[in-house]
Amino acid sequence: MSTPPLLEVSGLSKSFGTLKAVNNATFRIRQGQVVGLIGANGAGKTTVMRMLATLDMPDSGHIRINGTDVVDHPELVRPLIGWMPDYFHPYKNTSVREYLDFFARAYGITRERLLDTVDEVIDFTELGGLQDQMINKLSKGQTQRLCLARTLISDAQFLILDEPAAGLDPKARIEFKNLVHLLKARGKTLLISSHILSELGEMCDSLIFMDAGSIVHDGDMEDLLHRQTESGYAFEIRTAGDTTAPLEEWLALHQGWNVRSVQKQVVVATFASCEPDAVAAELRQLCRDLPVIDFHRSERRLEEAFVDILIHRDQEPATAVSPETPSTTTAL
Ligand code: ATP
């Protein structure tokens, strides 16, 4: 039997005046998943997250965390949630340790546990060398680590991080990604928003794409990157030698193959069948005929996947997203 979802969102909607900020959003997150919430500025990500975090009330729909309705029983679900907002108020004359100490007390951490709890989050987010630094003097990356440290104080199992990697330089982004992997290894469940696809692609198991308030796709990364196109899976093939002509000729002569592009000795071609046995038979034959040195399934860039999803969505009649099927929305 599959694990029950940690989070179940169904038919969630919220408007601000005439603006439908979130429109009938339905998705699920399982315990231990790292899920990216992608969408352009204004797509509705923060509005969804604020409702999950019990900070805003939905107009309609349901949110259940561990089976508990967050609107009916916010007091029961709040201890399960760690919320990292996309803004930070740098208090004056407050050091990193004082800031975290303040939040630990606010969370009701007992005096006996206080020191250890603050030490643990400082250690985890590698803020040890900065614990006496005034927080208004921290760099962007250090500030984000402090915000994460604050979110981790309560040891909540479900972490909702709104644009945590925004404005980080590449090094700080890698550090942040590593922290996400560590949190996952500790069994945490994470929902992380961004408007930059590649940022989330590196750290998430699954992506939810939002566009203008609606969820337009929800699926795992593997599915998104290797999704079958109408003409089959795409393969990148390379043969020894300085010309791709024999390979192109082979592909033209064999049924089901369709050359999509040729670049730097690599031929990208689709094959009509996705059946492993059929693909294996083709590969065996190809290796018999030509000196193949590389053959692998082509990974689509996330940006391409997103554009593909939006194009298909525009062409298809609207369909409701089943709660059984995770959904994803993205903006770039
Ligand atoms: P960003 O990436 O820029 O943070 P987002 O995807 O998080 O965008 P939201 O902040 O959820 O988007 O906003 C969705 C829409 O709802 C936007 O058009 C925004 O202007 C509007 N909106 C959000 N909060 C409010 C509010 N309190 N009052 C009025 N409109 C709001």
PDB file of all heavy atoms in Angstrom, residues 16-17 19-22 39-48 50 56 86 162-163 193-195 210, ligand 1:
ATOM      1  N   PHE A  16      -8.349  37.955  -5.062  1.00  0.00           N
ATOM      2  CA  PHE A  16      -8.179  39.273  -4.453  1.00  0.00           C
ATOM      3  C   PHE A  16      -9.016  40.207  -5.320  1.00  0.00           C
ATOM      4  O   PHE A  16      -8.631  40.493  -6.461  1.00  0.00           O
ATOM      5  CB  PHE A  16      -6.713  39.696  -4.452  1.00  0.00           C
ATOM      6  CG  PHE A  16      -5.842  38.802  -3.612  1.00  0.00           C
ATOM      7  CD1 PHE A  16      -4.980  37.894  -4.209  1.00  0.00           C
ATOM      8  CD2 PHE A  16      -5.881  38.854  -2.222  1.00  0.00           C
ATOM      9  CE1 PHE A  16      -4.174  37.060  -3.446  1.00  0.00           C
ATOM     10  CE2 PHE A  16      -5.074  38.024  -1.448  1.00  0.00           C
ATOM     11  CZ  PHE A  16      -4.225  37.120  -2.059  1.00  0.00           C
ATOM     12  N   GLY A  17     -10.161  40.646  -4.831  1.00  0.00           N
ATOM     13  CA  GLY A  17     -11.080  41.422  -5.677  1.00  0.00           C
ATOM     14  C   GLY A  17     -11.491  40.580  -6.857  1.00  0.00           C
ATOM     15  O   GLY A  17     -11.948  39.439  -6.690  1.00  0.00           O
ATOM     16  N   LEU A  19      -9.378  39.524  -9.113  1.00  0.00           N
ATOM     17  CA  LEU A  19      -8.235  38.711  -9.572  1.00  0.00           C
ATOM     18  C   LEU A  19      -8.257  37.317  -8.938  1.00  0.00           C
ATOM     19  O   LEU A  19      -8.221  37.192  -7.710  1.00  0.00           O
ATOM     20  CB  LEU A  19      -6.919  39.403  -9.204  1.00  0.00           C
ATOM     21  CG  LEU A  19      -5.679  38.577  -9.544  1.00  0.00           C
ATOM     22  CD1 LEU A  19      -5.308  38.745 -11.008  1.00  0.00           C
ATOM     23  CD2 LEU A  19      -4.516  38.953  -8.649  1.00  0.00           C
ATOM     24  N   LYS A  20      -8.324  36.293  -9.777  1.00  0.00           N
ATOM     25  CA  LYS A  20      -8.296  34.914  -9.274  1.00  0.00           C
ATOM     26  C   LYS A  20      -6.826  34.522  -9.119  1.00  0.00           C
ATOM     27  O   LYS A  20      -6.183  34.098 -10.086  1.00  0.00           O
ATOM     28  CB  LYS A  20      -9.014  34.002 -10.266  1.00  0.00           C
ATOM     29  CG  LYS A  20      -9.447  32.726  -9.660  1.00  0.00           C
ATOM     30  CD  LYS A  20     -10.917  32.401  -9.942  1.00  0.00           C
ATOM     31  CE  LYS A  20     -11.414  31.425  -8.890  1.00  0.00           C
ATOM     32  NZ  LYS A  20     -12.760  31.031  -8.985  1.00  0.00           N
ATOM     33  N   ALA A  21      -6.278  34.693  -7.935  1.00  0.00           N
ATOM     34  CA  ALA A  21      -4.844  34.441  -7.727  1.00  0.00           C
ATOM     35  C   ALA A  21      -4.536  32.952  -7.745  1.00  0.00           C
ATOM     36  O   ALA A  21      -3.480  32.531  -8.210  1.00  0.00           O
ATOM     37  CB  ALA A  21      -4.394  35.055  -6.410  1.00  0.00           C
ATOM     38  N   VAL A  22      -5.464  32.135  -7.211  1.00  0.00           N
ATOM     39  CA  VAL A  22      -5.312  30.676  -7.239  1.00  0.00           C
ATOM     40  C   VAL A  22      -6.652  30.099  -7.681  1.00  0.00           C
ATOM     41  O   VAL A  22      -7.698  30.443  -7.130  1.00  0.00           O
ATOM     42  CB  VAL A  22      -4.921  30.120  -5.850  1.00  0.00           C
ATOM     43  CG1 VAL A  22      -4.830  28.598  -5.873  1.00  0.00           C
ATOM     44  CG2 VAL A  22      -3.587  30.708  -5.399  1.00  0.00           C
ATOM     45  N   GLY A  39       6.586  28.947 -11.138  1.00  0.00           N
ATOM     46  CA  GLY A  39       5.647  29.803 -11.845  1.00  0.00           C
ATOM     47  C   GLY A  39       6.248  31.183 -12.003  1.00  0.00           C
ATOM     48  O   GLY A  39       7.101  31.594 -11.217  1.00  0.00           O
ATOM     49  N   ALA A  40       5.782  31.902 -13.010  1.00  0.00           N
ATOM     50  CA  ALA A  40       6.272  33.261 -13.250  1.00  0.00           C
ATOM     51  C   ALA A  40       5.855  34.172 -12.102  1.00  0.00           C
ATOM     52  O   ALA A  40       5.027  33.791 -11.268  1.00  0.00           O
ATOM     53  CB  ALA A  40       5.687  33.790 -14.560  1.00  0.00           C
ATOM     54  N   ASN A  41       6.413  35.346 -12.055  1.00  0.00           N
ATOM     55  CA  ASN A  41       5.998  36.319 -11.058  1.00  0.00           C
ATOM     56  C   ASN A  41       4.480  36.508 -11.178  1.00  0.00           C
ATOM     57  O   ASN A  41       3.961  36.672 -12.282  1.00  0.00           O
ATOM     58  CB  ASN A  41       6.689  37.672 -11.286  1.00  0.00           C
ATOM     59  CG  ASN A  41       8.187  37.575 -11.034  1.00  0.00           C
ATOM     60  OD1 ASN A  41       8.992  37.871 -11.891  1.00  0.00           O
ATOM     61  ND2 ASN A  41       8.562  37.122  -9.849  1.00  0.00           N
ATOM     62  N   GLY A  42       3.813  36.419 -10.044  1.00  0.00           N
ATOM     63  CA  GLY A  42       2.360  36.632 -10.049  1.00  0.00           C
ATOM     64  C   GLY A  42       1.551  35.393 -10.384  1.00  0.00           C
ATOM     65  O   GLY A  42       0.323  35.446 -10.465  1.00  0.00           O
ATOM     66  N   ALA A  43       2.207  34.226 -10.554  1.00  0.00           N
ATOM     67  CA  ALA A  43       1.482  33.001 -10.932  1.00  0.00           C
ATOM     68  C   ALA A  43       0.587  32.486  -9.797  1.00  0.00           C
ATOM     69  O   ALA A  43      -0.350  31.729 -10.044  1.00  0.00           O
ATOM     70  CB  ALA A  43       2.461  31.910 -11.349  1.00  0.00           C
ATOM     71  N   GLY A  44       0.907  32.860  -8.562  1.00  0.00           N
ATOM     72  CA  GLY A  44       0.074  32.419  -7.435  1.00  0.00           C
ATOM     73  C   GLY A  44       0.790  31.536  -6.432  1.00  0.00           C
ATOM     74  O   GLY A  44       0.179  31.000  -5.503  1.00  0.00           O
ATOM     75  N   LYS A  45       2.113  31.415  -6.559  1.00  0.00           N
ATOM     76  CA  LYS A  45       2.878  30.504  -5.698  1.00  0.00           C
ATOM     77  C   LYS A  45       2.788  30.913  -4.220  1.00  0.00           C
ATOM     78  O   LYS A  45       2.479  30.099  -3.361  1.00  0.00           O
ATOM     79  CB  LYS A  45       4.370  30.464  -6.126  1.00  0.00           C
ATOM     80  CG  LYS A  45       4.590  30.152  -7.586  1.00  0.00           C
ATOM     81  CD  LYS A  45       6.047  30.169  -7.966  1.00  0.00           C
ATOM     82  CE  LYS A  45       6.729  31.522  -7.805  1.00  0.00           C
ATOM     83  NZ  LYS A  45       6.268  32.558  -8.754  1.00  0.00           N
ATOM     84  N   THR A  46       3.080  32.198  -3.960  1.00  0.00           N
ATOM     85  CA  THR A  46       3.081  32.649  -2.564  1.00  0.00           C
ATOM     86  C   THR A  46       1.678  32.523  -1.969  1.00  0.00           C
ATOM     87  O   THR A  46       1.515  32.133  -0.803  1.00  0.00           O
ATOM     88  CB  THR A  46       3.569  34.115  -2.475  1.00  0.00           C
ATOM     89  OG1 THR A  46       4.908  34.157  -2.967  1.00  0.00           O
ATOM     90  CG2 THR A  46       3.547  34.629  -1.058  1.00  0.00           C
ATOM     91  N   THR A  47       0.683  32.811  -2.785  1.00  0.00           N
ATOM     92  CA  THR A  47      -0.694  32.731  -2.275  1.00  0.00           C
ATOM     93  C   THR A  47      -1.015  31.293  -1.862  1.00  0.00           C
ATOM     94  O   THR A  47      -1.596  31.057  -0.794  1.00  0.00           O
ATOM     95  CB  THR A  47      -1.689  33.246  -3.343  1.00  0.00           C
ATOM     96  OG1 THR A  47      -1.254  34.532  -3.773  1.00  0.00           O
ATOM     97  CG2 THR A  47      -3.092  33.347  -2.791  1.00  0.00           C
ATOM     98  N   VAL A  48      -0.604  30.312  -2.685  1.00  0.00           N
ATOM     99  CA  VAL A  48      -0.812  28.897  -2.319  1.00  0.00           C
ATOM    100  C   VAL A  48      -0.073  28.594  -1.023  1.00  0.00           C
ATOM    101  O   VAL A  48      -0.628  28.039  -0.065  1.00  0.00           O
ATOM    102  CB  VAL A  48      -0.316  27.948  -3.445  1.00  0.00           C
ATOM    103  CG1 VAL A  48      -0.204  26.513  -2.943  1.00  0.00           C
ATOM    104  CG2 VAL A  48      -1.245  28.008  -4.647  1.00  0.00           C
ATOM    105  N   ARG A  50       1.030  30.523   1.365  1.00  0.00           N
ATOM    106  CA  ARG A  50       0.503  31.194   2.564  1.00  0.00           C
ATOM    107  C   ARG A  50      -0.746  30.481   3.086  1.00  0.00           C
ATOM    108  O   ARG A  50      -0.960  30.391   4.292  1.00  0.00           O
ATOM    109  CB  ARG A  50       0.206  32.669   2.272  1.00  0.00           C
ATOM    110  CG  ARG A  50       1.487  33.529   2.175  1.00  0.00           C
ATOM    111  CD  ARG A  50       1.145  34.987   1.919  1.00  0.00           C
ATOM    112  NE  ARG A  50       0.281  35.550   2.937  1.00  0.00           N
ATOM    113  CZ  ARG A  50       0.697  36.044   4.114  1.00  0.00           C
ATOM    114  NH1 ARG A  50       1.988  36.052   4.387  1.00  0.00           N
ATOM    115  NH2 ARG A  50      -0.162  36.527   4.990  1.00  0.00           N
ATOM    116  N   ASP A  56      -3.247  32.563   5.321  1.00  0.00           N
ATOM    117  CA  ASP A  56      -4.386  33.128   4.587  1.00  0.00           C
ATOM    118  C   ASP A  56      -5.462  32.070   4.477  1.00  0.00           C
ATOM    119  O   ASP A  56      -5.170  30.875   4.432  1.00  0.00           O
ATOM    120  CB  ASP A  56      -3.962  33.556   3.173  1.00  0.00           C
ATOM    121  CG  ASP A  56      -3.221  34.887   3.184  1.00  0.00           C
ATOM    122  OD1 ASP A  56      -3.425  35.671   4.137  1.00  0.00           O
ATOM    123  OD2 ASP A  56      -2.434  35.125   2.241  1.00  0.00           O
ATOM    124  N   ASP A  86       9.350  34.865   1.731  1.00  0.00           N
ATOM    125  CA  ASP A  86      10.292  35.396   0.738  1.00  0.00           C
ATOM    126  C   ASP A  86      10.759  36.811   1.100  1.00  0.00           C
ATOM    127  O   ASP A  86      11.311  37.497   0.269  1.00  0.00           O
ATOM    128  CB  ASP A  86       9.686  35.369  -0.674  1.00  0.00           C
ATOM    129  CG  ASP A  86       8.442  36.228  -0.794  1.00  0.00           C
ATOM    130  OD1 ASP A  86       7.937  36.706   0.245  1.00  0.00           O
ATOM    131  OD2 ASP A  86       7.965  36.418  -1.931  1.00  0.00           O
ATOM    132  N   ASP A 162       9.560  29.742   0.513  1.00  0.00           N
ATOM    133  CA  ASP A 162       9.134  30.618  -0.575  1.00  0.00           C
ATOM    134  C   ASP A 162      10.355  31.339  -1.164  1.00  0.00           C
ATOM    135  O   ASP A 162      10.967  32.164  -0.479  1.00  0.00           O
ATOM    136  CB  ASP A 162       8.106  31.631  -0.037  1.00  0.00           C
ATOM    137  CG  ASP A 162       7.354  32.328  -1.160  1.00  0.00           C
ATOM    138  OD1 ASP A 162       7.571  31.977  -2.345  1.00  0.00           O
ATOM    139  OD2 ASP A 162       6.555  33.231  -0.859  1.00  0.00           O
ATOM    140  N   GLU A 163      10.701  31.016  -2.378  1.00  0.00           N
ATOM    141  CA  GLU A 163      11.828  31.616  -3.102  1.00  0.00           C
ATOM    142  C   GLU A 163      13.121  31.627  -2.273  1.00  0.00           C
ATOM    143  O   GLU A 163      13.789  32.659  -2.159  1.00  0.00           O
ATOM    144  CB  GLU A 163      11.492  33.064  -3.513  1.00  0.00           C
ATOM    145  CG  GLU A 163      10.287  33.198  -4.418  1.00  0.00           C
ATOM    146  CD  GLU A 163      10.612  33.100  -5.906  1.00  0.00           C
ATOM    147  OE1 GLU A 163      11.803  32.961  -6.236  1.00  0.00           O
ATOM    148  OE2 GLU A 163       9.674  33.142  -6.702  1.00  0.00           O
ATOM    149  N   SER A 193       9.460  27.102  -3.641  1.00  0.00           N
ATOM    150  CA  SER A 193       9.010  27.840  -4.830  1.00  0.00           C
ATOM    151  C   SER A 193      10.163  28.585  -5.486  1.00  0.00           C
ATOM    152  O   SER A 193      11.164  28.921  -4.847  1.00  0.00           O
ATOM    153  CB  SER A 193       7.911  28.843  -4.466  1.00  0.00           C
ATOM    154  OG  SER A 193       8.474  29.956  -3.831  1.00  0.00           O
ATOM    155  N   SER A 194       9.976  28.816  -6.780  1.00  0.00           N
ATOM    156  CA  SER A 194      10.937  29.624  -7.529  1.00  0.00           C
ATOM    157  C   SER A 194      10.303  30.006  -8.852  1.00  0.00           C
ATOM    158  O   SER A 194       9.363  29.367  -9.303  1.00  0.00           O
ATOM    159  CB  SER A 194      12.209  28.831  -7.793  1.00  0.00           C
ATOM    160  OG  SER A 194      13.083  29.584  -8.600  1.00  0.00           O
ATOM    161  N   HIS A 195      10.813  31.074  -9.465  1.00  0.00           N
ATOM    162  CA  HIS A 195      10.368  31.337 -10.832  1.00  0.00           C
ATOM    163  C   HIS A 195      11.473  30.950 -11.810  1.00  0.00           C
ATOM    164  O   HIS A 195      11.371  31.170 -12.997  1.00  0.00           O
ATOM    165  CB  HIS A 195       9.914  32.788 -11.016  1.00  0.00           C
ATOM    166  CG  HIS A 195      10.968  33.798 -10.690  1.00  0.00           C
ATOM    167  ND1 HIS A 195      11.243  34.200  -9.409  1.00  0.00           N
ATOM    168  CD2 HIS A 195      11.803  34.475 -11.479  1.00  0.00           C
ATOM    169  CE1 HIS A 195      12.219  35.072  -9.435  1.00  0.00           C
ATOM    170  NE2 HIS A 195      12.585  35.269 -10.675  1.00  0.00           N
ATOM    171  N   MET A 210       2.785  26.320 -12.052  1.00  0.00           N
ATOM    172  CA  MET A 210       1.599  27.192 -11.988  1.00  0.00           C
ATOM    173  C   MET A 210       1.657  28.231 -13.082  1.00  0.00           C
ATOM    174  O   MET A 210       2.717  28.766 -13.402  1.00  0.00           O
ATOM    175  CB  MET A 210       1.522  27.927 -10.651  1.00  0.00           C
ATOM    176  CG  MET A 210       1.117  27.052  -9.500  1.00  0.00           C
ATOM    177  SD  MET A 210       0.653  28.037  -8.060  1.00  0.00           S
ATOM    178  CE  MET A 210      -0.979  28.617  -8.497  1.00  0.00           C
TER     179      MET A 210
HETATM  180  P1  ATP B   1       6.246  36.093  -7.247  1.00  0.00           P
HETATM  181  O1  ATP B   1       7.113  35.076  -7.917  1.00  0.00           O
HETATM  182  O2  ATP B   1       6.372  37.439  -7.869  1.00  0.00           O
HETATM  183  O3  ATP B   1       6.397  36.123  -5.757  1.00  0.00           O
HETATM  184  P2  ATP B   1       3.793  34.544  -6.996  1.00  0.00           P
HETATM  185  O4  ATP B   1       3.693  33.437  -7.978  1.00  0.00           O
HETATM  186  O5  ATP B   1       4.239  34.190  -5.619  1.00  0.00           O
HETATM  187  O6  ATP B   1       4.702  35.699  -7.587  1.00  0.00           O
HETATM  188  P3  ATP B   1       1.527  35.694  -5.701  1.00  0.00           P
HETATM  189  O7  ATP B   1       2.335  36.551  -4.790  1.00  0.00           O
HETATM  190  O8  ATP B   1       0.871  34.511  -5.119  1.00  0.00           O
HETATM  191  O9  ATP B   1       2.378  35.247  -6.957  1.00  0.00           O
HETATM  192  O10 ATP B   1       0.443  36.620  -6.385  1.00  0.00           O
HETATM  193  C1  ATP B   1      -0.544  36.103  -7.278  1.00  0.00           C
HETATM  194  C2  ATP B   1      -1.384  37.274  -7.721  1.00  0.00           C
HETATM  195  O11 ATP B   1      -2.167  37.732  -6.619  1.00  0.00           O
HETATM  196  C3  ATP B   1      -0.579  38.470  -8.200  1.00  0.00           C
HETATM  197  O12 ATP B   1      -1.260  39.066  -9.297  1.00  0.00           O
HETATM  198  C4  ATP B   1      -0.563  39.402  -7.004  1.00  0.00           C
HETATM  199  O13 ATP B   1      -0.480  40.748  -7.409  1.00  0.00           O
HETATM  200  C5  ATP B   1      -1.907  39.100  -6.373  1.00  0.00           C
HETATM  201  N1  ATP B   1      -1.893  39.273  -4.914  1.00  0.00           N
HETATM  202  C6  ATP B   1      -1.148  38.569  -4.052  1.00  0.00           C
HETATM  203  N2  ATP B   1      -1.401  38.961  -2.787  1.00  0.00           N
HETATM  204  C7  ATP B   1      -2.315  39.947  -2.865  1.00  0.00           C
HETATM  205  C8  ATP B   1      -2.978  40.762  -1.911  1.00  0.00           C
HETATM  206  N3  ATP B   1      -2.756  40.612  -0.592  1.00  0.00           N
HETATM  207  N4  ATP B   1      -3.853  41.671  -2.368  1.00  0.00           N
HETATM  208  C9  ATP B   1      -4.115  41.813  -3.680  1.00  0.00           C
HETATM  209  N5  ATP B   1      -3.510  41.079  -4.647  1.00  0.00           N
HETATM  210  C10 ATP B   1      -2.635  40.156  -4.249  1.00  0.00           C
END
